[in-house]
Amino acid sequence: MDLNTVIGTVLVFLLVLVAMATGPGGVGIFIHPASMVIVLGGTCAVTMMAFPINDLKPVAKVMMVTAMRKQSTPSEEIDRIVSYANLARKEGLLALENKLQTVDDAFFAKGIQLVIDGFGADTVRDIMELEAEWEKQRHESGKKILEQMGAFAPAFGMIGTLVGLVQMLQDLSDPGMIGMGMATALLTTLYGAMAANMVFLPLAGKLGQVSKQEVLLRNLMIEGIVAIQSGEKPQLIKEKLKGFLAPSARTVVETV
Amino acid sequence: MDLNTVIGTVLVFLLVLVAMATGPGGVGIFIHPASMVIVLGGTCAVTMMAFPINDLKPVAKVMMVTAMRKQSTPSEEIDRIVSYANLARKEGLLALENKLQTVDDAFFAKGIQLVIDGFGADTVRDIMELEAEWEKQRHESGKKILEQMGAFAPAFGMIGTLVGLVQMLQDLSDPGMIGMGMATALLTTLYGAMAANMVFLPLAGKLGQVSKQEVLLRNLMIEGIVAIQSGEKPQLIKEKLKGFLAPSARTVVETV
Amino acid sequence: MDLNTVIGTVLVFLLVLVAMATGPGGVGIFIHPASMVIVLGGTCAVTMMAFPINDLKPVAKVMMVTAMRKQSTPSEEIDRIVSYANLARKEGLLALENKLQTVDDAFFAKGIQLVIDGFGADTVRDIMELEAEWEKQRHESGKKILEQMGAFAPAFGMIGTLVGLVQMLQDLSDPGMIGMGMATALLTTLYGAMAANMVFLPLAGKLGQVSKQEVLLRNLMIEGIVAIQSGEKPQLIKEKLKGFLAPSARTVVETV
Amino acid sequence: MDLNTVIGTVLVFLLVLVAMATGPGGVGIFIHPASMVIVLGGTCAVTMMAFPINDLKPVAKVMMVTAMRKQSTPSEEIDRIVSYANLARKEGLLALENKLQTVDDAFFAKGIQLVIDGFGADTVRDIMELEAEWEKQRHESGKKILEQMGAFAPAFGMIGTLVGLVQMLQDLSDPGMIGMGMATALLTTLYGAMAANMVFLPLAGKLGQVSKQEVLLRNLMIEGIVAIQSGEKPQLIKEKLKGFLAPSARTVVETV
Amino acid sequence: MDLNTVIGTVLVFLLVLVAMATGPGGVGIFIHPASMVIVLGGTCAVTMMAFPINDLKPVAKVMMVTAMRKQSTPSEEIDRIVSYANLARKEGLLALENKLQTVDDAFFAKGIQLVIDGFGADTVRDIMELEAEWEKQRHESGKKILEQMGAFAPAFGMIGTLVGLVQMLQDLSDPGMIGMGMATALLTTLYGAMAANMVFLPLAGKLGQVSKQEVLLRNLMIEGIVAIQSGEKPQLIKEKLKGFLAPSARTVVETV
């Protein structure tokens, strides 16, 4: 799992919790399960309305995988491809089969399998590009769903607050009750703002960044696998793939 | 009808109703027909102003059809096309005529009819692509109208609240009345937010998703029908059409 | 004039008027000429600042024409073109001259006049396409101006409310006066929201829709007039022009 | 200077001033120099932060020139070009030199000078198109800066109001002071809204419109000057340039 | 460091500080470390969530460099290139090596080094264009991150205010405490608005402008270095590169 996403998530929740805890009343006055249900439940329910179930299922999976798996860097991928190219040149393409079990990236594994199975270069490229295109669409779909949830959450926060305000305004005789009613009504707006700005919108941004990086990695892998198949020299493959690297990252590979 | 849209709709209204019912005063204090009329009536009236009647009529129909009809999956369509191709190869194109009565998709039926009537491949493709283009435009038009309604509803909620506030402010002598007046005034804002976020905007999103899926299905059908006409082997047609499937869905067809 | 725009306009104003009339104080408390002047006058004044007078003049005219004239449907236009094509084939192109007086559409009349005057097909097409392009730009310009007014009106509503609030806050000694001052201050916000959502924005949307439809009609007319000039068979012209129709509208022409 | 921009500016300020003057307290209660400094000063300061000084200098000049100079109409430019073409055909290109002193448009003057100096048609066109491109970029840059100021001004209005509110809330013992403090706090929001909607945003819109018109004029001038150079007949030049005119403006030139 | 960014930054903070200092209570009432931590900490934490660490690191560096380094003008770059071209023509390309130590722009130095190392013109151009492309992407990435922070800061201001309001509303018995609680609650909104409008958004705008200017400079350098390599006459190089200058800047170079 990507470390700075974890740290960021822990940090932001900690910050808000401390702010709640240090005030009069403690964290307890901010916990109101019914308000949480209306904001989160409402957001999830209208997301169900807006997206076909076929879109929601793979997206949930994609989000989990994205959050859990540590994305490899382009330099690491180049190193792996070069070591596979070395193996293929020394012991033949079939020698790659033993290595396949250790590959945890399904896309890379599928590409190597296609090479082992003896498909032509164009077929390998076509199949993998289509695969990469579908993967990109799943990521974009997931980003859009998270952005929608980031828009619906504050709306349900507001709906909850309006419901609370209308209820509170029925009886203005007890000033103490007014404050409590108002505080409870405001909690849904707070939950909506927190859900959008501390969960949905940062995750949507993250998914977008991961997707951009993934597209680069996928293109790098496709070029690399096709080059392995054609039996190019490992050193040449490394030179070619370095075009995918930012200038600052190039020296890192150079010295490997 | 698409199940998760139904569940989502029921769920979100249930959530808000429960939130209203459990507060002091019950659901009753949230029912104010005059406020509903101003928000929903106003939204519909300005939508009538903004769109020609020719646009509104088909859109209402499209929305109904979209909501009612269960969209078939690409895999199901491929299975249907392959079974038709089998029939056509065994008993000739005219044998398809008997099957036409069982087809509930007007687009697919029209394509098969064109094939039976003996039109050339280019003509069939041209006519069906034009048909698909018009269908797409109707969907986009419907999405735009729903998005406009999602923008106008909160505006009329605000207009209603302002009208209510001005009326309430005429007489501030009775504090009890102030609360009631304020509560009533806020109801239109609540209705506007509910109409936009629990009906119009999720449905606009849904229509956009359905439309995207429909475009894929239409292209798949066009390729399939043209392939049936040209008498290609069913197995070959299946292979060709699998390019329209997401990788995860391909195995499903494979095993059929 | 387009009937559903009229009905929509009447309906939305009626709804708001009834909401005002049924409250305490009646419609009277919502009438404040000075507030109307600041919202509408301010909106018009900054629109004058932002757009050159050359743009505002034709736009006002375009808007009037658009609102007043009932747009013909594509089917009606096809019928007219076919009847003209019949006449031209039977009695020659000059026979169209007598019919010109009955044409109330300046664009169509100009096209027929060019044909009668004996200009070549390319010249007729060039001149009419340029004419259609200018018309489209006028429509787009008008839409943009209305959208700007829809953005400025709520801004001046807010400016008026702020002015009123600052004045009211000078003297908080009489609670009765506070309510009245606040109510008056809120009226400009109400006027701004009404002007934007009940006039400017729906009309901008309408102009956009009319423009889209007009582009289709203009292209249909250009094809039709060029076809008349080249002496094509009326039946063939009808078939050709039916490509401009939505599928559902085609049968209507078919049976004519 | 463009008359309707002047009238619009005067009108909108007059309207707001009258609204202020007719309320209790007169205009005086709306004048608070410190609040003006924070809104306008803050807006200018962050604009200085956001744009390099090289961009701000020419833009200020462009804005002045744009506001001061009366833009000529395309018809006037065509008349001028035709009269120059007449002169050049009768007395030779060098005869244009005497006329140059009377030209107040630097772009047009530069073009004529290039022709007199004997540069080739392609060189003249290249140089003038580059010049027109830079001018367009300056206009767009100016529009963007004005739009940024229109976004920053309300933000500083809000910052000022928040500062004022925090100060006012320190002492709630004297109700009279609360009103005054609140009024003063609201003044910055009012100034921000006025600066954005009565100055920056309308001027940004105006600059955009002027720029669009200027591009048309520049293209017209380039075609005209190249035509003068090639010694085309004045009547032919006029016909050619009329393609730049809106249909309604064409008859005006025709009768000249 | 760019002078007007410094002046703008100092000015805007001074303005707000003076506004705070001159009110009752002085600057002290605006200093609330816990509120600062929640707004700035929250903004940074969600930015960490949304962007991979690989993106955040170079961006921070880019922002520092951008703010610190004074960008050279195109005219200065042309002068430098011309002087290098003179040197190369007189003493050969290798003579440039001595000058390299004095170059503080890594991009320009790399280009000259490639020329000295004897790479072909196409290779030099390819390598430098790729380098310029990566630099542009880093700038765009930095701009996007700053804009995101400008959107998250007010959101955390609002979250902080809601937390404060809910805490304050628990006890409305002491009116004096209400004012203090409200003031403290509003401080986070104030901090959020200040962070967004006085730091993040102006810096994002600045980075966008610097990037635009940098792209121009990079293209100018690439053309210049390739021209030096090909041994073109310095006077010709100057003429060629002047196409990158705004017309007003051209005379400055001319007279050099």
Side-chain angles (χ1 to χ4, degrees):
Chain A
M1 194 173 175
D2 197 2
L3 199 63
N4 70 325
T5 301
V6 185
I7 298 177
T9 312
V10 171
L11 202 63
V12 72
F13 275 94
L14 215 70
L15 273 169
V16 174
L17 273 177
V18 168
M20 288 172 172
T22 52
V27 175
I29 59 171
F30 291 96
I31 298 174
H32 198 261
S35 299
M36 284 180 194
V37 168
I38 203 174
V39 172
L40 294 179
T43 302
C44 291
V46 293
T47 306
M48 265 185 81
M49 279 177 76
F51 293 90
I53 194 77
N54 293 347
D55 272 30
L56 292 176
K57 271 191 299 191
V59 161
K61 202 178 136 202
V62 163
M63 267 161 51
M64 281 297 172
V65 171
T66 305
M68 289 306 167
R69 185 163 55 79
K70 195 174 162 351
Q71 220 179 9
S72 57
T73 66
S75 311
E76 288 166 11
E77 281 305 324
I78 292 181
D79 289 344
R80 174 153 71 170
I81 289 168
V82 168
S83 78
Y84 275 54
N86 267 320
L87 187 69
R89 273 174 72 89
K90 280 184 206 142
E91 312 178 21
L93 286 171
L94 292 180
L96 296 174
E97 199 141 32
N98 304 324
K99 282 233 160 181
L100 268 188
Q101 272 69 41
T102 66
V103 177
D104 60 346
D105 182 306
F107 181 86
F108 187 77
K110 179 162 191 178
I112 294 294
Q113 187 64 58
L114 287 168
V115 167
I116 295 170
D117 292 353
F119 286 94
D122 285 352
T123 312
V124 171
R125 186 184 287 276
D126 283 358
I127 292 177
M128 297 196 73
E129 278 177 354
L130 190 65
E131 203 88 358
E133 179 59 32
W134 279 103
E135 191 180 68
K136 194 180 151 201
Q137 280 187 20
R138 274 199 311 273
H139 281 149
E140 276 170 10
S141 188
K143 183 163 186 271
K144 206 174 152 194
I145 290 176
L146 282 170
E147 284 172 345
Q148 276 291 312
M149 294 177 91
F152 279 129
F156 278 94
M158 188 184 130
I159 288 174
T161 295
L162 285 168
V163 168
L165 281 181
V166 170
Q167 289 170 341
M168 179 207 84
L169 287 165
Q170 301 302 314
D171 180 11
L172 297 178
S173 56
D174 179 354
M177 287 305 291
I178 296 177
M180 295 305 282
M182 191 97 173
T184 311
L186 284 180
L187 279 180
T188 53
T189 295
L190 176 59
Y191 292 158
M194 286 174 66
N197 292 292
M198 291 160 63
V199 181
F200 299 133
L201 295 180
L203 281 188
K206 173 82 187 183
L207 202 53
Q209 295 293 325
V210 165
S211 175
K212 232 174 71 184
Q213 183 69 3
E214 200 88 350
V215 166
L216 189 90
L217 275 178
R218 281 352 183 178
N219 288 336
L220 189 158
M221 286 180 189
I222 294 173
E223 293 308 323
I225 286 171
V226 169
I228 290 176
Q229 188 184 32
S230 69
E232 287 184 28
K233 280 193 197 151
Q235 198 51 39
L236 208 77
I237 295 178
K238 183 192 274 191
E239 277 308 307
K240 209 191 226 172
L241 297 182
K242 268 164 60 187
F244 286 98
L245 293 179
S248 63
R250 267 173 232 165
T251 35
V252 181
V253 183
E254 215 107 39
T255 61
V256 170
Chain B
M1 193 172 174
D2 197 3
L3 199 63
N4 70 327
T5 301
V6 185
I7 296 177
T9 313
V10 171
L11 201 62
V12 73
F13 275 94
L14 214 71
L15 274 169
V16 174
L17 274 177
V18 168
M20 288 171 172
T22 51
V27 175
I29 59 171
F30 290 97
I31 297 174
H32 199 260
S35 298
M36 285 180 194
V37 168
I38 202 174
V39 172
L40 294 179
T43 302
C44 292
V46 292
T47 307
M48 265 184 81
M49 279 176 76
F51 293 89
I53 194 78
N54 293 348
D55 272 31
L56 292 175
K57 273 192 298 191
V59 160
K61 201 178 137 203
V62 162
M63 268 161 50
M64 282 295 172
V65 170
T66 306
M68 291 302 167
R69 185 163 55 81
K70 197 177 161 347
Q71 220 179 9
S72 58
T73 66
S75 311
E76 288 166 11
E77 282 306 325
I78 292 181
D79 290 344
R80 174 154 70 171
I81 289 167
V82 168
S83 78
Y84 275 53
N86 267 318
L87 187 69
R89 272 173 73 89
K90 281 185 204 140
E91 311 179 22
L93 286 171
L94 293 180
L96 296 173
E97 199 141 32
N98 304 322
K99 281 234 161 182
L100 268 188
Q101 271 70 41
T102 66
V103 177
D104 61 346
D105 183 305
F107 181 86
F108 187 77
K110 178 160 193 181
I112 294 294
Q113 188 64 57
L114 287 168
V115 167
I116 295 170
D117 292 353
F119 286 94
D122 286 352
T123 312
V124 170
R125 186 184 288 275
D126 283 358
I127 292 177
M128 296 195 73
E129 279 177 354
L130 189 65
E131 202 88 359
E133 180 58 33
W134 278 104
E135 191 180 69
K136 195 181 150 200
Q137 279 188 19
R138 276 200 309 274
H139 281 148
E140 277 170 9
S141 188
K143 184 163 185 272
K144 206 174 154 193
I145 290 176
L146 282 170
E147 284 172 345
Q148 276 290 313
M149 293 178 91
F152 280 129
F156 277 94
M158 188 184 131
I159 288 174
T161 295
L162 285 168
V163 168
L165 282 180
V166 170
Q167 289 170 340
M168 180 207 83
L169 287 165
Q170 301 302 316
D171 180 12
L172 297 177
S173 57
D174 180 355
M177 287 304 290
I178 296 176
M180 295 306 282
M182 192 97 173
T184 311
L186 283 180
L187 279 181
T188 54
T189 295
L190 176 59
Y191 293 158
M194 287 174 66
N197 291 292
M198 291 161 63
V199 181
F200 298 133
L201 295 180
L203 281 188
K206 174 81 187 184
L207 202 53
Q209 295 292 326
V210 166
S211 174
K212 232 175 70 184
Q213 184 69 4
E214 200 89 348
V215 166
L216 189 90
L217 275 180
R218 280 354 184 178
N219 288 336
L220 190 158
M221 286 180 189
I222 293 174
E223 292 309 321
I225 286 171
V226 169
I228 290 175
Q229 189 184 31
S230 69
E232 285 184 30
K233 280 194 197 149
Q235 198 51 38
L236 208 77
I237 295 178
K238 184 191 273 190
E239 277 308 307
K240 208 192 228 171
L241 296 183
K242 268 164 59 186
F244 286 99
L245 292 179
S248 62
R250 267 174 232 167
T251 34
V252 182
V253 183
E254 214 107 39
T255 60
V256 171
Chain C
M1 195 173 173
D2 197 2
L3 199 64
N4 69 328
T5 301
V6 184
I7 296 177
T9 312
V10 171
L11 202 64
V12 73
F13 275 94
L14 214 72
L15 274 169
V16 175
L17 274 177
V18 168
M20 289 172 172
T22 52
V27 176
I29 59 171
F30 290 97
I31 297 174
H32 198 262
S35 299
M36 284 180 194
V37 168
I38 202 174
V39 173
L40 294 179
T43 303
C44 291
V46 293
T47 307
M48 266 184 80
M49 280 176 75
F51 292 91
I53 195 78
N54 294 347
D55 272 31
L56 292 176
K57 272 191 298 190
V59 161
K61 201 177 138 203
V62 162
M63 268 162 51
M64 282 296 174
V65 170
T66 307
M68 290 304 169
R69 185 163 55 81
K70 196 176 161 347
Q71 220 179 9
S72 58
T73 66
S75 311
E76 288 166 11
E77 281 306 325
I78 293 181
D79 289 346
R80 174 154 70 170
I81 289 167
V82 168
S83 78
Y84 275 52
N86 267 319
L87 187 69
R89 272 173 72 89
K90 281 185 204 138
E91 310 179 22
L93 286 172
L94 293 181
L96 296 174
E97 199 141 33
N98 303 324
K99 281 233 160 181
L100 268 188
Q101 272 71 40
T102 65
V103 177
D104 61 346
D105 183 305
F107 181 86
F108 188 76
K110 178 159 192 181
I112 294 293
Q113 187 64 57
L114 287 169
V115 167
I116 295 171
D117 292 352
F119 285 93
D122 285 352
T123 311
V124 170
R125 185 184 288 274
D126 282 358
I127 292 177
M128 296 195 74
E129 279 177 354
L130 189 65
E131 202 88 0
E133 181 58 32
W134 279 103
E135 190 179 70
K136 194 181 149 201
Q137 279 188 18
R138 276 200 309 273
H139 281 146
E140 276 169 10
S141 189
K143 184 163 185 272
K144 207 174 153 193
I145 291 175
L146 283 170
E147 283 172 345
Q148 276 290 313
M149 294 177 91
F152 279 129
F156 277 94
M158 189 184 129
I159 288 174
T161 295
L162 286 167
V163 169
L165 281 181
V166 170
Q167 289 170 339
M168 181 206 83
L169 287 165
Q170 301 302 315
D171 179 11
L172 298 177
S173 58
D174 179 354
M177 287 305 290
I178 296 177
M180 295 305 281
M182 191 97 172
T184 311
L186 283 180
L187 279 181
T188 53
T189 295
L190 176 59
Y191 292 158
M194 286 174 67
N197 292 291
M198 291 160 64
V199 181
F200 298 133
L201 296 180
L203 282 187
K206 174 82 187 182
L207 202 54
Q209 295 292 326
V210 165
S211 174
K212 231 175 72 184
Q213 182 70 5
E214 201 88 349
V215 166
L216 189 90
L217 275 179
R218 280 355 184 178
N219 287 336
L220 189 159
M221 286 180 188
I222 293 173
E223 292 308 320
I225 286 171
V226 169
I228 290 177
Q229 189 184 31
S230 69
E232 286 184 28
K233 281 195 196 150
Q235 198 52 38
L236 209 76
I237 295 178
K238 184 191 273 190
E239 278 308 308
K240 209 193 226 169
L241 297 182
K242 269 163 61 185
F244 286 98
L245 292 179
S248 62
R250 267 174 232 168
T251 34
V252 181
V253 184
E254 215 107 39
T255 61
V256 170
Chain D
M1 194 172 174
D2 196 2
L3 199 63
N4 70 328
T5 301
V6 184
I7 297 177
T9 313
V10 172
L11 202 63
V12 73
F13 275 93
L14 213 71
L15 273 169
V16 174
L17 273 177
V18 169
M20 289 171 172
T22 51
V27 175
I29 59 171
F30 290 97
I31 296 174
H32 199 262
S35 298
M36 284 180 195
V37 168
I38 202 173
V39 173
L40 294 180
T43 303
C44 291
V46 293
T47 307
M48 266 184 80
M49 280 176 75
F51 293 90
I53 195 79
N54 293 347
D55 272 30
L56 292 176
K57 272 191 298 192
V59 160
K61 199 177 138 204
V62 162
M63 268 161 52
M64 281 296 173
V65 170
T66 306
M68 290 304 167
R69 185 163 55 81
K70 197 174 159 353
Q71 218 180 10
S72 58
T73 66
S75 311
E76 288 167 12
E77 281 306 324
I78 293 181
D79 290 345
R80 174 153 70 170
I81 289 167
V82 169
S83 79
Y84 276 52
N86 268 319
L87 187 68
R89 273 173 72 89
K90 281 186 205 138
E91 311 180 22
L93 287 171
L94 293 181
L96 296 174
E97 199 142 33
N98 304 324
K99 281 234 160 181
L100 267 189
Q101 272 71 39
T102 65
V103 176
D104 61 346
D105 183 304
F107 182 86
F108 188 77
K110 178 161 192 179
I112 294 294
Q113 188 63 57
L114 287 168
V115 167
I116 295 171
D117 292 352
F119 285 93
D122 285 353
T123 312
V124 171
R125 186 184 289 275
D126 282 357
I127 292 177
M128 296 195 75
E129 279 177 355
L130 190 65
E131 202 88 359
E133 180 58 32
W134 278 104
E135 190 179 68
K136 194 180 150 202
Q137 279 188 19
R138 275 201 308 273
H139 280 147
E140 276 169 10
S141 189
K143 183 163 186 271
K144 206 173 153 195
I145 291 176
L146 282 170
E147 283 172 346
Q148 276 291 312
M149 295 178 91
F152 279 129
F156 277 94
M158 189 183 128
I159 288 174
T161 295
L162 286 167
V163 168
L165 281 180
V166 170
Q167 289 170 339
M168 179 207 84
L169 287 165
Q170 301 302 315
D171 179 11
L172 297 178
S173 57
D174 179 354
M177 287 305 291
I178 297 177
M180 294 306 281
M182 191 99 173
T184 310
L186 283 180
L187 279 180
T188 53
T189 295
L190 176 59
Y191 292 158
M194 286 174 67
N197 291 292
M198 291 161 63
V199 181
F200 298 132
L201 295 180
L203 281 187
K206 175 81 188 184
L207 202 53
Q209 295 293 326
V210 165
S211 174
K212 232 173 72 183
Q213 184 69 6
E214 201 87 350
V215 166
L216 189 91
L217 275 179
R218 281 351 184 181
N219 287 337
L220 189 158
M221 285 179 189
I222 293 174
E223 292 308 321
I225 285 171
V226 169
I228 290 176
Q229 188 183 31
S230 69
E232 287 185 30
K233 282 195 196 150
Q235 198 52 36
L236 209 77
I237 295 177
K238 184 191 272 191
E239 278 308 307
K240 210 190 223 171
L241 298 182
K242 268 163 61 185
F244 286 98
L245 293 180
S248 63
R250 269 176 229 165
T251 34
V252 181
V253 184
E254 213 107 39
T255 61
V256 171
Chain E
M1 194 172 176
D2 197 2
L3 199 64
N4 69 327
T5 302
V6 185
I7 297 178
T9 312
V10 171
L11 201 62
V12 72
F13 275 94
L14 213 72
L15 273 169
V16 174
L17 274 177
V18 169
M20 289 170 171
T22 51
V27 175
I29 59 171
F30 291 96
I31 297 174
H32 198 262
S35 299
M36 284 179 194
V37 168
I38 202 174
V39 173
L40 294 179
T43 303
C44 291
V46 293
T47 307
M48 265 185 81
M49 279 176 76
F51 293 90
I53 194 77
N54 293 347
D55 272 31
L56 291 177
K57 272 191 298 190
V59 160
K61 201 178 136 204
V62 162
M63 267 161 51
M64 281 297 172
V65 171
T66 306
M68 290 305 167
R69 185 163 55 81
K70 196 174 161 349
Q71 219 179 9
S72 58
T73 65
S75 311
E76 288 166 10
E77 280 307 324
I78 293 181
D79 290 345
R80 174 154 69 170
I81 289 167
V82 169
S83 77
Y84 275 53
N86 267 319
L87 187 68
R89 272 174 73 89
K90 281 185 206 141
E91 311 179 22
L93 286 172
L94 293 181
L96 296 175
E97 199 142 31
N98 304 325
K99 281 234 161 181
L100 267 188
Q101 272 69 41
T102 65
V103 177
D104 60 347
D105 182 305
F107 182 85
F108 188 76
K110 179 160 191 179
I112 293 294
Q113 188 64 56
L114 286 169
V115 168
I116 294 170
D117 292 352
F119 285 93
D122 286 352
T123 311
V124 171
R125 186 184 288 276
D126 282 358
I127 292 177
M128 297 195 73
E129 277 177 356
L130 190 66
E131 203 88 359
E133 181 57 31
W134 278 103
E135 191 180 68
K136 193 180 151 202
Q137 280 187 21
R138 274 201 309 274
H139 281 148
E140 276 169 10
S141 188
K143 183 163 187 271
K144 206 173 152 194
I145 291 176
L146 283 171
E147 283 172 345
Q148 276 291 311
M149 295 178 91
F152 279 129
F156 278 94
M158 188 183 129
I159 288 173
T161 296
L162 286 167
V163 168
L165 281 181
V166 170
Q167 289 171 339
M168 179 207 84
L169 287 165
Q170 301 302 315
D171 180 10
L172 297 178
S173 57
D174 179 354
M177 287 304 291
I178 296 176
M180 295 304 283
M182 191 98 172
T184 311
L186 284 180
L187 279 180
T188 52
T189 295
L190 176 60
Y191 293 157
M194 285 174 66
N197 292 292
M198 291 161 62
V199 181
F200 299 132
L201 296 180
L203 281 187
K206 173 82 188 184
L207 202 53
Q209 295 292 325
V210 165
S211 174
K212 233 174 72 184
Q213 183 68 6
E214 200 88 348
V215 166
L216 189 90
L217 274 180
R218 280 352 183 179
N219 287 336
L220 189 158
M221 286 180 189
I222 293 174
E223 293 307 322
I225 284 172
V226 169
I228 290 176
Q229 189 184 30
S230 69
E232 287 184 30
K233 280 195 196 148
Q235 197 51 38
L236 208 76
I237 295 177
K238 183 191 274 192
E239 277 307 308
K240 210 191 225 171
L241 298 182
K242 268 163 60 186
F244 286 99
L245 292 179
S248 63
R250 267 173 233 166
T251 34
V252 182
V253 183
E254 215 107 38
T255 60
V256 171

